[in-house]
DNA sequence: TTAGCTGCAAATTATTTGCATTCCG
DNA sequence: CGGAATGCAAATAATTTGCAGCTAA
């Protein structure tokens, strides 16, 4: 990732490193900017929230990070695994808010059909299922 | 929809009617709360933005309206067509921001697999493809 | 009549921006 | 050294809330 930055005359500052570490240590989670701010503060107390936002935007542009929105009023970020790796997908419980990931990638065919019909050049997709998780079903 | 409201002791006020009309007249668009506010104001100038938000949330709870987020910093709303009607999906151009709908519903099988494996009770889903529309491809 | 609604203004929350200062390469 | 990057505080923007007055059923 250092090379990703260097390629555009960007710098690897301690703040950026700290943020990367947090993101790496919380893989498979969906952190809000504020979550990341608080966590990063532990290792680097002087950091400001603006730096968090600026850094996350930068990382997202570089493809190192994915920004997600689950409709809870704030953006959520995660480290972007596998470069080309088609994004994993999410199961969201509408009762307790649990977010579970899964990795089936059965969308290729559908993607091809859509691309052909719409003449879109598709670069990515986002698939989510909403419903009730096992536990919440039990409680109902 | 009057009955939907009545069933919960809710009222069909002129404000709510005005908002429904706007939503109906702008099917297949994805209006922000502010868009809806400005449009509704034309027919009902005294309306306040808070009423717009409260009404949209209510309608979404009742299933009359879908709230969407496209990552542009604000929620977007659309009239919910076909009750059971599995939501249509979106193609989003990352260059010009165009949002195109399509209605293939080839997700049933996938949904079933996911439901079985995860023990989730799936009630809805959201599928989006990101990429470049025909026009933007031409310009590149 | 009376609970549900409304408009307004003030309060929140998430995110962005301006700027003087600091620091990586 | 010089442009990038940072922290801070102030500015935006979207959405929510409190409340006193209004109104649909």
């Amino acid at each position: 990732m250092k090379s990703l930055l260097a390629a555009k005359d960007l710098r690897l500052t301690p703040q950026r490193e700290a943020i990367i570490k947090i993101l790496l240590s919380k893989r498979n989670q969906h952190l809000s900017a504020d979550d990341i701010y608080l966590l990063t503060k532990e290792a680097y107390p002087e950091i400001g929230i603006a730096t968090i936002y600026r850094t996350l935007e930068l990382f997202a542009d570089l493809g190192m990070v994915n920004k997600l929105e689950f409709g809870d009023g704030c953006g959520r970020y995660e480290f972007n695994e596998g470069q080309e790796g088609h994004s994993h997908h999410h199961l969201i419980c509408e009762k307790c808010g649990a977010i579970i990931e899964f990795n089936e990638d059965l969308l290729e065919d559908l993607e091809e059909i859509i691309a052909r019909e719409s003449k879109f050049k598709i670069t990515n997709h986002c698939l989510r299922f909403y419903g009730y998780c096992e536990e919440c079903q039990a409680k109902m």
Side-chain angles (χ1 to χ4, degrees), chain A:
Chain A
M1 46 202 113
K2 190 178 287 191
S3 49
L4 260 182
L5 291 170
K8 298 204 179 184
D9 257 317
L10 301 172
R11 294 169 190 171
L12 184 56
T13 64
Q15 290 91 331
R16 288 177 181 177
E17 263 193 280
I19 294 172
I20 290 174
K21 277 184 191 160
I22 294 300
L23 258 9
L24 285 173
S25 75
K26 302 287 178 182
R27 282 159 194 249
N28 302 343
Q29 290 196 46
H30 309 97
L31 304 169
S32 67
D34 201 59
D35 292 337
I36 296 169
Y37 175 54
L38 295 174
L39 288 167
T40 309
K41 236 172 171 354
E42 290 174 13
Y44 200 105
E46 324 88 285
I47 203 165
I49 186 78
T51 298
I52 303 290
Y53 278 104
R54 284 185 285 228
T55 302
L56 289 171
E57 191 187 357
L58 174 69
F59 287 178
D61 285 346
L62 294 174
M64 294 168 53
V65 156
N66 294 133
K67 180 179 184 183
L68 311 167
E69 302 204 26
F70 295 116
D72 62 346
C74 67
R76 297 195 163 267
Y77 303 82
E78 62 175 9
F79 185 77
N80 184 6
E81 306 293 345
Q83 286 305 55
E84 194 48 56
H86 254 160
S87 43
H88 47 265
H89 307 130
H90 298 102
L91 275 166
I92 303 173
C93 179
E94 304 194 281
K95 191 86 184 278
C96 69
I99 298 174
I100 297 169
E101 298 196 354
F102 67 93
N103 277 303
E104 303 287 344
D105 214 351
L106 309 172
L107 240 47
E108 249 82 55
D109 297 342
L110 182 52
E111 192 165 309
E112 202 173 305
I113 296 170
I114 303 298
R116 196 180 320 129
E117 289 187 2
S118 66
K119 306 226 164 63
F120 242 69
K121 173 161 180 48
I122 295 177
T123 58
N124 200 355
H125 60 239
C126 161
L127 173 60
R128 282 180 214 156
F129 289 100
Y130 296 91
Y132 301 100
C133 70
E134 202 174 355
E135 288 174 32
C136 287
Q137 284 175 65
K139 290 180 197 154
M140 290 160 59

